[in-house]
Amino acid sequence: MKCAVIYFSLTGNTKKVSQAIYEGISSANGQCDLFQLKSVDLNSLDKYDLLGIGTPVWGWAEAAPVRIFQESMPSLDGKHWFMFATHCADRGGVFYHMAKTLQFKQATVISYRSWYGEMWMPQYPKPYPTDGHPDSIDLSEAFEYGREVVGLSEQVYQGANNLIPQTFGPVRDRLHLEYIPMQLNLEKCSYPKCRLCEKRCPMGAINFEKKPPLFRQPGRCVNCLLCEMICPKGAIEADYAKEEARARETVIQGVIPLIKKATTKGYLRQLVPWSDLKVDTPLYRTEKWGKHPRIPLSRLP
Ligand SMILES: Cc1cc2nc3c(=O)[nH]c(=O)nc-3n(C[C@H](O)[C@H](O)[C@H](O)COP(=O)(O)O)c2cc1C
Ligand code: SF4
Ligand code: SF4
């Protein structure tokens, strides 16, 4: 069976899980390819019998680059697909949305699974209750999951259609991500020596060759905040304070109850004790935040 795992990952969590699933599939099947979303040739998808697609959860749904990728796929001709995700609060409607598009493209969706991941949004508390994930236990689960989906796909190709899921988790609308005001300070920016934000923006919303430079192009920018976090010069200046109160309320009213429920039900092994969580210290106000880039580039996919 020809297999591939495709993933998008902004801050590395989904990449780690993808690698483990890929290794699991390779060990069970003897072959698997692993691709970052941006390097996939859409015309080559039909050579695979089993494909996995992985995403971080953004606004209760798949990340925007994954949505765009899925919408541009050709007909998938009944081939088997599975979906996986990482998230920091709840997986929301991610699989509902992804399955809908995959099925519209004639894929057979055979399975889905999600894991918790570390949080890197500057307006949210650090430490955050899901920090430390995915850890080695999560990655062993992901490896086993890779082995499982190979067996499942073989059975379904042999006619065991009763093994195909009929529903894909809760139905939840996509949420627009919080808008954080940002400014490009051209005096600090070292373009064209540096082109990091332009190269790394997952939505192609930055183009400094344009006159005037195009930064956070409306309609494209999805407020992922990566550009601010990776700029080595601090040339992208964000006003996180504007969203701090709202983020704190979201954590108190939304995230903490969800995390408590997940911990009680055994879905989450919390690695950060509650006593370490301080809702009043968002990442952008911690000591680590002073230097640029904010996030170690070695961590990025
Ligand atoms: C722009 C953005 C939006 C997010 N929205 C959600 C969300 O709606 N629900 C959730 O549980 N986590 C959310 N998260 C957290 C990510 O899903 C989580 O950190 C994920 O593991 C990141 O994966 P990555 O490191 O592969 O990018 C969001 C993160 C970002 C950057
Ligand atoms: S916040 Fe920055 S990196 Fe993210 S989509 Fe917008 S311009 Fe691109
Ligand atoms: S990452 Fe910073 S310094 Fe580099 S091009 Fe972007 S704004 Fe300029």
Side-chain angles (χ1 to χ4, degrees), residues 184-186 188-198 206 208 215 227 230-236:
L184 175 63
N185 183 336
L186 288 170
K188 291 188 190 167
C189 172
S190 54
Y191 183 87
K193 218 164 119 197
C194 171
R195 290 175 177 245
L196 202 56
C197 60
E198 205 181 47
I206 302 178
F208 288 163
F215 175 62
C227 52
I230 60 173
C231 174
K233 301 285 180 186
I236 297 173

Side-chain angles (χ1 to χ4, degrees), residues 8-15 56-61 86-91 116-121 177 222-224 299:
F8 168 76
S9 179
L10 194 75
T11 56
N13 299 335
T14 315
K15 180 182 179 180
V57 174
W58 283 7
W60 301 136
T86 68
H87 53 87
C88 281
D90 188 271
R91 64 186 199 207
Y116 285 89
E118 185 151 350
M119 169 58 108
W120 276 98
M121 291 189 89
L177 303 175
V222 287
N223 302 314
C224 75
R299 188 198 147 98

